[in-house]
Amino acid sequence: MTYWSPNRRDLILALSGTGLLAAMPLKAAAQVRARLVIVGGGFGGATAARFLKTLLPQASVTLIEANAEYYACPFSNLVVTGLRELSAQRFSYAALKAQGVEFVHDRAVEVASVGHSVQVSSGQTFAYDKLILSPGIDFRWNDIEGYDEAAAEIMPHAWKAGTQTILLRQQLSDMEDGGVVAMSVPPAPFRCPPGPYERASLIAQYLKTHKPKSKLIILDAQDKFSKQPLFEEAWSSLYPDRIERFGASEFGRVIAVSPSSRTLSTEFEDIQADVANVIPPQQAGSIAQQAGVADMTGWCPVDPLNFSSTLQPDIHVIGDATIASPMPKSAFSANLQAKLCAMQIARELAGKAPQPTTLTNTCYSYLSDTAAVSITGVYTNDGGSLHSVEGAGGLSPLDADPIIRQNEALQARTWFRTITEQTFG
Ligand code: FAD
């Protein structure tokens, strides 16, 4: 098997657009010896490990990841609706190991920020000079009354890919024609803002094809949502009368569930579903709470210049766990934040100040198996805050020729191949 082993030329390609490479003291960084520990081997953490090891070949880079393999969420809505296999979402860490990143497959349970060490569940500890946390999200169990880990086995969230993805797929497949699918969407912020609506589109396509008497009810804790006009246009043209959505002001927010009867309760009514997909409220992964890098919101404030925690020294936080609005909680963002963070750590260890730069994000969403739309944002982190660059970025056009939607579906596949190769390949 051949792996993508990034060299300096690859770095130039991968970092073009961040504007940082020109400012990088590569020669000085190559000599730096430091203990760099990363918790979480997803789109953020695995990318950070890879780029740190490339930029700082003399440093020890240790990645603590609970699982032996990674299951990617992007494209998992296609798995839910039987259009893709879960095996296409699975990625190994072999390439990172071959590159010299040391792996600890265990759960980080305690960060001693004063002593600069991380303890894993086996009791082993790892000292660090710099720590990057990229633990993704955890769920706020019981924020929706009755929705706990046991309830998720009956009313799957499928918001972390793997067994939950397959459970939801199986339930859809087992449902009788005429059955009702209900999905609850949490209040923002949550992982992948357009994700629930992409899932709704693909479930609607699945129902239209396989269970034509069935419908989907979306119970939404938000009134407005990402790419709303594009999704609503697609729903009325591709899946008329198939999707009913209730926003927050129409009492859409789910406040309680009863798993035994698959009932979702809002302040207004109880809805009994045959398949219930409950996407619960979220917060930063639990290790971030323990490490003291999350604030009262449950998310982690960071300095957008280098994604260092504003609450604890020598700890950086990247990916979904951060407060990085207007950047969305996406794999694209996590990957780019990881590169930025690795670059700034390398600069700092080589005695250089962090440099402001530009960041981008593009999120593709499938409307059907052959049509997709996208939203692109461009951001800058100068002046102490992360903000959108006015006039840059944009949305797919409304009322577009179908060929445009088809091209975006193909571009989405290219994006997925590229980002997973850069991260794991
Ligand atoms: P993760 O990728 O979740 O990685 C976190 C890792 O940390 C995990 O491997 C976990 O095992 C590990 N971990 C956590 N705590 C510990 C601990 N204490 N010890 C050891 N290991 C730990 N994004 C896009 O850009 N485009 C899309 O099209 C897209 N589609 C999506 C569709 C769906 C249905 C969903 C749910 C998400 C989608 N996303 C998409 C969002 C994307 O998956 C996340 O934004 C991305 O995974 C965030 O990366 P991360 O590194 O922050 O977290």
Side-chain angles (χ1 to χ4, degrees):
M1 184 179 283
T2 54
Y3 299 123
W4 184 71
S5 177
N7 52 33
R8 302 267 155 130
R9 191 181 148 274
D10 294 322
L11 272 187
I12 290 169
L13 291 175
L15 289 162
S16 58
T18 66
L20 272 170
L21 196 82
M24 181 61 208
L26 286 172
K27 223 172 169 180
Q31 308 308 322
V32 166
R33 290 173 189 276
R35 295 161 305 173
L36 308 173
V37 175
I38 298 143
V39 175
F43 282 102
T47 306
R50 158 159 277 181
F51 278 76
L52 281 173
K53 193 66 198 167
T54 307
L55 290 167
L56 305 171
Q58 301 297 323
S60 79
V61 178
T62 303
L63 179 44
I64 301 173
E65 164 55 50
N67 299 310
E69 293 175 317
Y70 180 77
Y71 284 91
C73 284
F75 278 56
S76 66
N77 286 331
L78 293 162
V79 180
V80 165
T81 49
L83 297 165
R84 187 177 168 88
E85 290 312 314
L86 186 65
S87 54
Q89 303 296 113
R90 189 177 62 219
F91 295 91
S92 106
Y93 292 112
L96 281 155
K97 288 175 185 170
Q99 202 198 327
V101 174
E102 288 158 41
F103 268 76
V104 178
H105 283 299
D106 200 346
R107 180 157 284 281
V109 289
E110 195 177 337
V111 173
S113 52
V114 178
H116 279 55
S117 68
V118 183
Q119 188 176 351
V120 296
S121 67
S122 71
Q124 228 186 326
T125 57
F126 298 87
Y128 66 82
D129 298 307
K130 293 279 179 198
L131 172 65
I132 299 179
L133 297 178
S134 187
I137 54 149
D138 270 325
F139 301 117
R140 292 176 178 269
W141 300 117
N142 284 310
D143 257 24
I144 295 177
E145 193 189 323
Y147 196 72
D148 55 17
E149 279 163 288
E153 296 304 312
I154 300 164
M155 307 168 101
H157 51 76
W159 221 241
K160 290 188 182 183
T163 52
Q164 278 276 312
T165 315
I166 293 301
L167 183 59
L168 183 55
R169 170 182 169 141
Q170 194 59 46
Q171 290 188 357
L172 281 174
S173 158
D174 292 346
M175 186 183 78
E176 304 234 324
D177 190 9
V180 171
V181 183
M183 171 195 288
S184 88
V185 182
F190 57 84
R191 158 174 285 181
C192 193
Y197 313 100
E198 176 189 71
R199 179 174 290 173
S201 307
L202 293 171
I203 288 179
Q205 183 185 28
Y206 174 82
L207 299 179
K208 182 178 167 183
T209 314
H210 300 283
K211 322 255 157 134
K213 293 190 220 134
S214 292
K215 66 172 180 176
L216 169 66
I217 299 174
I218 305 174
L219 299 168
D220 200 334
Q222 340 181 79
D223 271 326
K224 298 210 174 311
F225 61 90
S226 175
K227 304 178 203 164
Q228 185 162 0
L230 289 163
F231 280 115
E232 288 180 343
E233 179 190 65
W235 295 349
S236 65
S237 68
L238 298 174
Y239 318 116
D241 303 325
R242 182 88 42 200
I243 300 176
E244 263 181 80
R245 174 177 172 271
F246 300 91
S249 54
E250 299 155 308
F251 301 103
R253 189 169 73 90
V254 171
I255 55 170
V257 295
S258 171
S260 57
S261 57
R262 286 204 174 98
T263 302
L264 299 93
S265 302
T266 67
E267 277 168 359
F268 185 64
E269 63 179 333
D270 296 334
I271 288 169
Q272 210 201 325
D274 297 282
V275 173
N277 171 211
V278 177
I279 305 168
Q282 296 160 29
Q283 61 186 359
S286 58
I287 192 67
Q289 321 288 335
Q290 186 285 322
V293 293
D295 68 13
M296 299 287 283
T297 64
W299 304 101
C300 306
V302 289
D303 178 343
L305 212 46
N306 58 3
F307 282 74
S308 59
S309 165
T310 58
L311 302 179
Q312 298 290 346
D314 294 321
I315 303 183
H316 296 245
V317 191
I318 54 175
D320 285 358
T322 57
I323 300 171
S325 175
M327 279 187 104
K329 297 186 187 301
S330 71
F332 195 121
S333 296
N335 173 273
L336 201 51
Q337 290 165 7
K339 291 171 188 166
L340 167 69
C341 181
M343 184 65 87
Q344 302 289 31
I345 287 176
R347 282 182 60 82
E348 187 189 333
L349 292 174
K352 302 279 176 188
Q355 286 269 335
T357 188
T358 53
L359 295 152
T360 58
N361 177 76
T362 298
C363 280
Y364 294 97
S365 299
Y366 278 91
L367 305 171
S368 73
D369 56 340
T370 54
V373 288
S374 67
I375 184 167
T376 296
V378 183
Y379 318 95
T380 178
N381 59 4
D382 61 3
S385 73
L386 193 58
H387 47 274
S388 296
V389 175
E390 232 174 273
L395 269 174
S396 304
L398 277 165
D399 195 20
D401 191 306
I403 196 77
I404 292 179
R405 303 281 190 254
Q406 284 167 28
N407 281 339
E408 291 224 70
L410 295 176
Q411 284 161 23
R413 284 180 193 275
T414 306
W415 167 79
F416 185 79
R417 265 199 310 278
T418 306
I419 196 169
T420 52
E421 186 177 89
Q422 272 191 15
T423 310
F424 305 104

